[in-house]
Amino acid sequence: MQFLHVTGYAEAYCEPIPKDTLSFVSGYSTDTLLMRLSKINAMLFQQMDNRMIDPEILREAVFCDVLGFEQVTEFRPLFTDERRWFAEGPIGLLIMDLLQNFKMIETPASSDPLEFAHNLFKTILVYNDLYYGRPRGIALESLEGIFMMETMQQGYLRAKGVMKVDTFGRFLFLSKFLDSDELLREEADMYCEKMKIQNPWTFAKFFLAILASAIHPQNWGNHMLDLSHLWPEKLMREFGTDPTELAGKEKVSLNMDVVTKPFLFLTPEKILVLDYNFFQYALENGFLYSFYRHSSIKLQSKFKTYENFKAYIALEFFEKYLVGSLLGEIFHKKSQRLISTEKYQDFIIRASSCDVFVFEVKMNDLHPNTFENLDYKAFTEEFLDKRFLSDKGNGAKDKGVGQIVRQLGHLSEPNIELREKLGIKHSEKMNIYPVIICSEHHMNIAGVNHYLNDGFEQRSKNLKGSFQSIKPLTIIHIDFLIKYFGPLKRNPALFAEWLSGYHRSKKGLEKLYDEKGGPITYLLSKRSLFGYMEMKKDFPNPYQATVDEIEKCFDLETNGVWNALGIRV
């Protein structure tokens, strides 16, 4: 949740941005421009935490052809610790517009390098204004303001640092699931044969190898791949941008047309990596879509549509296999009891003599247009309300909060089968921890937990007298379970301790905000559980314990992932 001031054209040059936002670079070949922009993205990716990377980018990617360039005098007053000139979001927007207006121009040999660098730099600043100038008249100290600011940071796409390990961890589980699932095992083998890869994990290892190479110090600023390194060409073509498909297209979407295709073939052998961060989409969404598109599974009546296929993955892989396996290993003690049946969904766990967890599991994807357009109304009304707060009648299944409240109703009833299975005689002695485990990254931004807990509090208020306490609702992204699996496996009591600490922290910060106000305090008071844990200074790095426990419990080769990405454990 670190927000920096990114300088725009209007601020730097004290004049409005041009109506034609590409006017400064219209005379240059798109390939030439994309090569510079992809190098900037590579440098930002490799040095994401270096706030003074901008001078190096100017020297090595923008003014690299200008002999003797150190720091142009006109820019010197703009160098401050609080300001940035280069950010991935605006550059992604510029890349999208360049692809939509793709031009093959033979740049004259007499072209002035300094003039070209100035024009490129000014265009980048123009797109800083375009990108960060979108939310106008919206107060930061509001849930809508937080949504706007966090979404523009593109956390769903640009998982920083070790969070990328969690993405690969999920793929390890998916690979093992595909190797054992009766309906998908043979189809997965056929897909891998078609893509000329050994197995599903080879798909992830391909991207892992490129990332490991990209972050190596000797490859500083490297944004090109060479097919002579024996990369799987068919797989790369699957995720390669075709400018002819986008050029002149009426509407190009950054998240659906550009992020999905991180490679650009300049020649049959030389490939440009538009943005290493785009790999996250390929791992989390692209593989499943590619698998469905290139296999015969769509011919089966059960999987006539991609939505049918995703529903199967959501239930069989995400809920039963991934979440079920993680929770089963965390709450593994003989005194702990886990219930998961058709009637008592998704998971109800008695963790101790007085603590009961009620888990609802949701694998839902937010439509890319919602966050690309910063559409807060669609996010709340079409996604959060309908997927997590809707109540179904006539015997149909409730969703999200409604499902949890229904299970609380069961727990409050004496002499019911559920309480007998859990060994609960007196519900009034129980502390209830309601939790939603989800797959969508936008559920992890500040304000979401607050928004859904308001709905939960309204629906559960009549049940409060049935228990010693009903804790506030907690939203947990699946990456949290993976990252902290090791410590939780070794000490399951940490789960209740962390959730309680998170909500105490929220309550204290909300009180502080009521007294003193301030956007930072407001933002912190609405942060997610993940955000709370990331700022928890009294807890050691969890990855060593997680590596050891995941390998021991699930026989997954996580250590290779950690080592390849240079993560110390």
Side-chain angles (χ1 to χ4, degrees), residues 41 87-94 127 131-132 152 154 158 254:
N41 274 337
E88 298 101 322
I91 291 175
L93 186 63
L94 174 53
Y127 275 78
Y131 187 83
Y132 290 110
M152 285 195 296
Q154 297 184 335
R158 307 182 187 282
L254 176 64

Side-chain angles (χ1 to χ4, degrees), residues 8-16:
Y9 179 86
E11 181 181 4
Y13 289 94
C14 299
E15 62 184 38

Side-chain angles (χ1 to χ4, degrees), residues 114-131:
L114 182 59
E115 182 182 10
F116 170 75
H118 270 119
N119 286 331
L120 174 59
F121 182 63
K122 286 189 286 188
T123 302
I124 290 171
L125 295 187
V126 166
Y127 275 78
N128 286 350
D129 276 334
L130 284 178
Y131 187 83

Side-chain angles (χ1 to χ4, degrees), residues 53-225:
I53 187 65
D54 289 11
E56 294 184 49
I57 291 176
L58 276 176
R59 183 171 57 252
E60 298 183 25
V62 180
F63 289 86
C64 52
D65 293 335
V66 181
L67 294 178
F69 173 80
E70 285 299 328
Q71 185 173 311
V72 177
T73 304
E74 67 185 273
F75 304 140
R76 195 167 293 145
L78 296 177
F79 277 107
T80 69
D81 290 341
E82 296 79 23
R83 296 171 183 245
R84 294 293 299 268
W85 296 350
F86 302 101
E88 298 101 322
I91 291 175
L93 186 63
L94 174 53
I95 287 175
M96 181 188 77
D97 280 358
L98 287 171
L99 288 171
Q100 188 175 12
N101 297 275
F102 197 88
K103 295 179 181 179
M104 290 299 294
I105 300 172
E106 195 67 38
T107 304
S110 60
S111 176
D112 181 2
L114 182 59
E115 182 182 10
F116 170 75
H118 270 119
N119 286 331
L120 174 59
F121 182 63
K122 286 189 286 188
T123 302
I124 290 171
L125 295 187
V126 166
Y127 275 78
N128 286 350
D129 276 334
L130 284 178
Y131 187 83
Y132 290 110
R134 289 177 293 170
R136 297 185 183 279
I138 299 171
L140 177 59
E141 295 173 42
S142 67
L143 295 183
E144 183 175 6
I146 292 176
F147 168 79
M148 296 286 184
M149 295 302 295
E150 290 239 59
T151 302
M152 285 195 296
Q153 301 304 308
Q154 297 184 335
Y156 64 94
L157 177 64
R158 307 182 187 282
K160 300 298 186 184
V162 293
M163 284 182 68
K164 292 201 175 292
V165 177
D166 307 323
T167 300
F168 283 102
R170 263 182 286 150
F171 204 99
L172 278 167
F173 280 97
L174 177 61
S175 301
K176 192 166 185 178
F177 167 77
L178 291 174
D179 192 46
S180 60
D181 186 79
E182 292 184 2
L183 291 181
L184 302 181
R185 183 174 58 241
E186 291 185 8
E187 294 287 350
D189 290 341
M190 292 171 62
Y191 169 80
C192 293
E193 184 178 349
K194 187 173 183 178
M195 286 291 145
K196 301 188 182 304
I197 57 177
Q198 186 176 359
N199 51 48
W201 177 234
T202 307
F203 178 100
K205 283 203 296 186
F206 158 64
F207 289 100
L208 177 62
I210 298 176
L211 287 175
S213 175
I215 63 177
H216 196 282
Q218 72 181 24
N219 293 326
W220 165 247
N222 183 32
H223 56 127
M224 302 283 292
L225 299 179

Side-chain angles (χ1 to χ4, degrees), residues 194-308:
K194 187 173 183 178
M195 286 291 145
K196 301 188 182 304
I197 57 177
Q198 186 176 359
N199 51 48
W201 177 234
T202 307
F203 178 100
K205 283 203 296 186
F206 158 64
F207 289 100
L208 177 62
I210 298 176
L211 287 175
S213 175
I215 63 177
H216 196 282
Q218 72 181 24
N219 293 326
W220 165 247
N222 183 32
H223 56 127
M224 302 283 292
L225 299 179
D226 191 333
L227 271 183
S228 64
H229 286 100
L230 302 178
W231 301 116
E233 182 176 1
K234 193 170 184 63
L235 189 59
M236 296 186 73
R237 294 283 181 183
E238 176 76 355
F239 292 92
T241 295
D242 184 354
T244 61
E245 292 182 359
L246 302 181
K249 188 176 178 181
E250 183 177 350
K251 175 63 177 175
V252 175
S253 164
L254 176 64
N255 290 287
M256 292 189 283
D257 295 317
V258 180
V259 171
T260 57
K261 307 285 187 178
F263 303 116
L264 177 66
F265 282 74
L266 297 176
T267 70
E269 292 80 27
K270 294 292 184 181
I271 305 101
L272 202 63
V273 181
L274 294 176
D275 192 330
Y276 288 105
N277 284 292
F278 292 173
F279 290 4
Q280 186 166 326
Y281 170 86
L283 291 161
E284 295 188 351
N285 304 97
F287 171 78
L288 289 175
Y289 181 73
S290 178
F291 173 58
Y292 181 80
R293 192 163 71 97
H294 290 290
S295 69
S296 59
I297 196 168
K298 54 183 172 290
L299 302 178
Q300 299 182 27
S301 58
K302 187 179 181 67
F303 303 120
K304 282 187 177 181
T305 68
Y306 184 59
E307 287 69 29
N308 295 148

